[in-house]
Amino acid sequence: MYEHYQLSNKANIYLVPIDNTKSLTGLVLFPVGSRFESEKMNGSSHFIEHLMFKGTKKRPNTLALTREIDRLGAEYNAFTNKEMTGYYVKADAGYAETVLDILSDMLYNSLFDAKEMELEKTVVVEELKMYRDNPLMNIGNLFEELMFAGCPLGWDIGGTPRHVLAYNRDEVLRYRDRHYDPSNMTVVVAGSINEKVKDLLARYFGQEKSRFKASKVFKPAVFGSSSQQDRLLVDEKKTDQAQLMLGFPGFNHTDKRNATLAVLDTILGGSMSSRLFIQVRERRGLAYMIKSGADSFRDTGYVYVRAGLDAKNLNRAIAVIKKEIEKVIDKGISQRELADAKTHIRGGLSLALENSNHQADWYGHQALFMDKIHSPEERLREIDKVTADGVKRLAEKVFDFNQMRVAIIGDLKKEAVVF
């Protein structure tokens, strides 16, 4: 079970006690990411995340901040995606006060020193180069650029070097101030929680006053052109292995069909016994990595298949993937596949939730994006209700090859791709 309450400044608090653990995770989330940005400020959510580690009034530089966390043997990081920015520290529960002190200090008291901001621009640019030089890391960016061409969901989360180098400090701070109000903050503490944690949360997160109503404005999702020539994007790059990602429009965070979709994805490409793994890798030796999955946003989503393979085998692999999808559409799934997918999902979730940071992430995501908090058991009950007929009907709905987008990074020409 969890406990939810608000501090006097309207910061939302979620406490998730876990038995038989000695760790504690503090996770702070803001419902803001790259889709909330203007074109000029693309990447600024990610840039602000970086700047939170550059020093505070109490810990005036990066070394003072990170050394204090490192001496605890803690895990810590931050992340930005298209709809959310998060900061977390996981440590021995005996260091709960230090964890909450550091997180609140970063988020309320970061200096945003002008010199440090200029230095960090080059760091972020190098990060962007790292991703773009690595096809395995960059194929998702390319696919979303294709799927959501014409709206901010298609933009790179980190922006481009041109964007980053052109940031103006005052504009970055104005963007931060539109979103980083305590009333827009969700704090999740998961793990070994004692009676002192509430007092610590009030002390470290409740003192900052709410000054404004945070902006919730973002541009609605738009899918790119559905004409066949516009549904293929190839980044020609001299690589030993091509990266392939193909996909279809899917569902938003709250769609009731997501449970059925999770079962469908598990059967199609979610494990080493899945249909795609067996047919693409084991029976034909076309790829080392082959998997399927789904991603959701506030107003849309997508379903995808990914593979890494020799460019000369790419068309053959696409044909096999389409054939396996057509089998699900035409013939559905077996009762054994259905049962095995359900136990696979249950087992994977049980293992993940043994970890306090996964528990924090679960409840944080639910708090930000769902209509109500669903416990893991409630989610599994939804999975248990999925039927084979429901999976077949969903496959018929989702897998429209006239809407399939294909993104590729590799040593081949666009005109050589058959899809």
Side-chain angles (χ1 to χ4, degrees):
M1 285 298 293
Y2 70 94
E3 180 181 356
H4 169 234
Y5 62 95
Q6 281 191 336
L7 298 177
S8 59
N9 59 9
K10 299 183 181 179
N12 280 289
I13 307 296
Y14 289 84
L15 301 181
V16 187
I18 304 173
D19 295 332
N20 303 314
T21 184
K22 295 182 178 180
S23 72
L24 176 144
T25 296
L27 170 67
V28 184
L29 299 171
F30 292 89
V32 59
S34 58
R35 75 175 307 187
F36 290 78
E37 299 160 357
S38 66
E39 193 282 330
K40 179 181 180 182
M41 297 302 291
N42 181 209
S44 53
S45 300
H46 173 253
F47 187 56
I48 288 167
E49 172 217 311
H50 273 241
L51 296 172
M52 292 295 184
F53 289 88
K54 303 302 287 183
T56 70
K57 296 174 184 177
K58 186 176 180 180
R59 300 168 175 93
N61 54 53
T62 300
L63 182 59
L65 180 64
T66 57
R67 177 177 281 170
E68 188 168 354
I69 311 176
D70 285 337
R71 71 177 183 82
L72 308 180
E75 298 175 9
Y76 61 97
N77 211 331
F79 56 88
T80 306
N81 61 35
K82 298 197 170 180
E83 297 185 325
M84 175 174 64
T85 307
Y87 306 82
Y88 71 89
V89 179
K90 177 184 178 183
D92 185 288
Y95 299 124
E97 180 167 4
T98 305
V99 167
L100 299 178
D101 178 13
I102 289 173
L103 282 170
S104 63
D105 193 30
M106 289 167 55
L107 295 167
Y108 287 148
N109 303 311
S110 281
L111 297 173
F112 285 80
D113 177 78
K115 182 178 178 181
E116 290 292 342
M117 290 177 74
E118 289 303 310
L119 288 173
E120 198 64 20
K121 287 180 180 181
T122 59
V123 173
V124 172
V125 167
E126 292 305 316
E127 181 184 3
L128 296 175
K129 291 177 181 177
M130 176 186 72
Y131 276 91
R132 290 170 191 179
D133 279 351
N134 187 326
L136 188 64
M137 299 166 77
N138 197 41
I139 187 64
N141 291 331
L142 196 72
F143 175 79
E144 290 187 349
E145 177 185 333
L146 176 65
M147 176 65 81
F148 299 113
C151 78
L153 279 179
W155 300 346
D156 193 309
I157 290 167
T160 68
R162 173 180 63 83
H163 287 105
V164 174
L165 294 174
Y167 291 151
N168 174 278
R169 181 176 183 271
D170 289 341
E171 290 177 328
V172 171
L173 295 181
R174 279 197 295 272
Y175 179 83
R176 177 202 63 181
D177 291 343
R178 285 202 299 273
H179 300 283
Y180 277 67
D181 187 79
S183 62
N184 206 33
M185 173 188 288
T186 295
V187 183
V188 187
V189 180
S192 179
I193 297 173
N194 61 32
E195 67 280 358
K196 296 180 181 179
V197 167
K198 283 188 175 181
D199 291 337
L200 294 173
L201 285 163
R203 183 189 313 168
Y204 289 109
F205 286 93
Q207 303 303 311
E208 186 80 5
K209 295 187 183 302
S210 176
R211 301 185 305 279
F212 56 88
K213 187 174 182 179
S215 173
K216 304 289 187 182
V217 177
F218 61 87
K219 290 184 178 179
V222 175
F223 290 113
S225 168
S226 60
S227 68
Q228 186 169 17
Q229 65 179 9
D230 294 331
R231 289 188 284 110
L232 172 64
L233 182 58
V234 177
D235 180 6
E236 295 181 27
K237 187 182 287 285
K238 293 289 185 182
T239 61
D240 291 329
Q241 184 183 74
Q243 294 297 320
L244 163 71
M245 187 167 179
L246 61 83
F248 309 81
F251 310 123
N252 66 31
H253 292 299
T254 61
D255 197 293
K256 301 298 184 184
R257 293 169 289 186
N258 283 327
T260 304
L261 182 59
V263 173
L264 172 58
D265 276 331
T266 301
I267 292 168
L268 186 64
S271 71
M272 291 179 66
S273 60
S274 65
R275 292 188 178 196
L276 289 177
F277 194 94
I278 295 301
Q279 294 298 330
V280 174
R281 173 172 158 159
E282 297 301 307
R283 298 275 169 82
R284 294 172 176 82
L286 295 177
Y288 172 72
M289 185 272 289
I290 176 79
K291 64 180 182 179
S292 66
D295 207 350
S296 296
F297 303 100
R298 290 185 180 274
D299 53 351
T300 189
Y302 61 83
V303 183
Y304 68 85
V305 175
R306 284 188 58 171
L309 67 170
D310 194 306
K312 71 174 187 269
N313 293 324
L314 194 136
N315 287 332
R316 189 179 171 201
I318 292 175
V320 174
I321 292 167
K322 291 178 68 175
K323 184 177 180 180
E324 290 306 308
I325 289 173
E326 287 167 346
K327 285 181 183 178
V328 179
I329 295 171
D330 295 338
K331 299 179 180 179
I333 62 170
S334 70
Q335 289 298 321
R336 179 174 181 178
E337 284 179 309
L338 178 67
D340 287 351
K342 290 179 179 181
T343 55
H344 177 88
I345 293 169
R346 178 175 288 275
L349 184 58
S350 296
L351 291 176
L353 293 178
E354 287 185 347
N355 196 322
S356 64
N357 56 326
H358 283 282
Q359 289 263 14
D361 183 71
W362 173 277
Y363 284 96
H365 186 275
Q366 296 279 316
L368 261 60
F369 301 119
M370 305 302 287
D371 296 332
K372 57 175 285 226
I373 301 292
H374 296 266
S375 70
E377 277 304 320
E378 287 177 308
R379 169 67 168 171
L380 291 172
R381 284 196 289 271
E382 292 175 356
I383 297 292
D384 286 339
K385 293 177 183 177
V386 174
T387 66
D389 285 344
V391 172
K392 184 176 185 298
R393 288 195 302 271
L394 189 70
E396 293 169 353
K397 168 77 174 175
V398 170
F399 296 127
D400 178 356
F401 291 110
N402 291 320
Q403 294 296 325
M404 184 176 77
R405 273 74 174 178
V406 180
I408 298 164
I409 302 175
D411 191 10
L412 75 167
K413 300 287 186 183
K414 181 176 180 178
E415 52 268 25
V417 180
V418 179
F419 76 107

